[in-house]
Structure formats: C-alpha cells, structure tokens
Amino acid sequence: MQELEILPGGDSSRAMAINDSGEVVGSSATGTGEHAFIWRKQLGIADLNSAGSAGLGFIFIEAHAINARSQIIVMGRSSHDSMMATSTASEGDQVCAPAPPASFLLTPALH
C-alpha cells in the first residue's frame, strides 16, 4: 500500500486510475475546490492545473483515466462558473446554474 498525499491546502484525495508504470490520477480537495492530480512515485503528487488550463478558462477537477503513454482524461469546469458559485447573488439577481463539466485529453509534451 502507498500513501498518495494531498495537494497543498487540501484535506483529502482519491485515486481514480493507475497505469502499468504506477502513475496514479484522481482528485484532491483543496481550499479552492476539487483539483485533478497525477502522482508519480519519484515526484509525488502534482496538480494538473497550469497556466495553460487557466488560459483556456477551465479548472481540471477530476482525472479519470491514464494510459501507458501517460495521456490523461480529465474533467474540467469553466473557471467563470467556479467564480459564480462562490459569489453571493444580490436580492433580485438571478444566478445561472453552472455549465456541465467538459472532458479533456491531456497529452505529455515531448522534450
């Protein structure tokens, strides 16, 4: 058995998939909500969110699968929806329900 750790500021994590190399993906609860992660024995846990995902306007919340090429299926939600969910509506204002999560395929960059 191997402890996977939690992301900084978090209080729990859950594994969702593992590949033949022992890389594990899942979701970790942080102070700002759920974040998708990857865990590697040599490097430990790492948040899959980056400047690139923020630039797309999405927050990756759950990693569901990882294959032998380290490609990861993640579920994300609009960062705009995240901000709406944390703000409080004034009387008379209507807040729309957040859009459903979207799925993404993350492919490691070749060096």
Side-chain angles (χ1 to χ4, degrees):
M1 196 180 320
Q2 175 72 48
E3 184 175 347
L4 296 180
E5 308 166 41
I6 56 174
L7 289 173
D11 58 12
S12 66
S13 62
R14 63 183 174 185
M16 311 261 308
I18 187 169
N19 66 11
D20 290 341
S21 299
E23 296 172 309
V24 177
V25 295
S27 182
S28 184
T30 70
T32 58
E34 296 283 321
H35 281 228
F37 73 81
I38 185 167
W39 179 89
R40 294 179 177 109
K41 188 171 185 167
Q42 314 86 314
L43 303 172
I45 195 168
D47 195 329
L48 287 173
N49 289 280
S50 66
S53 60
L56 293 172
F58 280 89
I59 298 171
F60 299 140
I61 55 175
E62 291 181 344
H64 287 271
I66 185 167
N67 65 17
R69 295 188 329 211
S70 297
Q71 294 173 310
I72 303 169
I73 299 289
V74 296
M75 201 166 68
R77 68 173 182 260
S78 168
S79 55
H80 175 73
D81 290 340
S82 298
M83 290 184 284
M84 291 293 289
T86 58
S87 66
T88 306
S90 307
E91 190 173 325
D93 287 344
Q94 292 183 352
V95 177
C96 296
S103 295
F104 300 87
L105 173 65
L106 303 182
T107 302
L110 300 176
H111 297 280

